[in-house]
Amino acid sequence: MNEETLLFLLTTVMELGTLVCAYLGLRLFRKNKWLRFALIVVPLLLNALLYIIYRTTPFFYLGVILLLCIPFVWPRKSA
């Protein structure tokens, strides 16, 4: 498997994973708040790591999407 194929597969998997995790992290109401937070942060860190390794913009933009989701899943004292 050459590098271009691997990069394409990683990009596709991370795009789908980011969308699924963002949706689940925002939609799991009144469940475990740390699970919701982990659903956003783990793919965010993976996208950051892949951006550092490959220096391609899709991983950066996927990380930005997840960063925008964090304020909506941040655990509050009232919840």
Side-chain angles (χ1 to χ4, degrees):
M1 186 179 309
N2 59 8
E3 188 175 346
E4 291 85 18
T5 305
L6 180 63
L7 182 61
F8 173 75
L9 288 174
L10 281 173
T11 304
T12 305
V13 167
M14 287 309 297
E15 285 174 353
L16 294 174
T18 297
L19 292 175
V20 167
C21 288
Y23 179 77
L24 289 176
L26 293 172
R27 289 292 177 179
L28 287 176
F29 295 121
R30 303 212 181 235
K31 300 288 182 187
N32 188 352
K33 56 187 173 184
W34 293 109
L35 173 66
R36 288 176 30 191
F37 192 67
L39 277 172
I40 301 295
V41 172
V42 170
L44 174 64
L45 294 176
L46 261 156
N47 280 321
L49 180 69
L50 289 171
Y51 175 69
I52 290 169
I53 293 172
Y54 289 108
R55 295 285 184 196
T56 58
T57 56
F59 299 121
F60 174 76
Y61 291 127
L62 292 171
V64 169
I65 290 170
L66 291 170
L67 276 174
L68 291 173
C69 293
I70 286 179
F72 299 103
V73 298
W74 191 263
R76 295 182 307 251
K77 290 182 182 179
S78 62

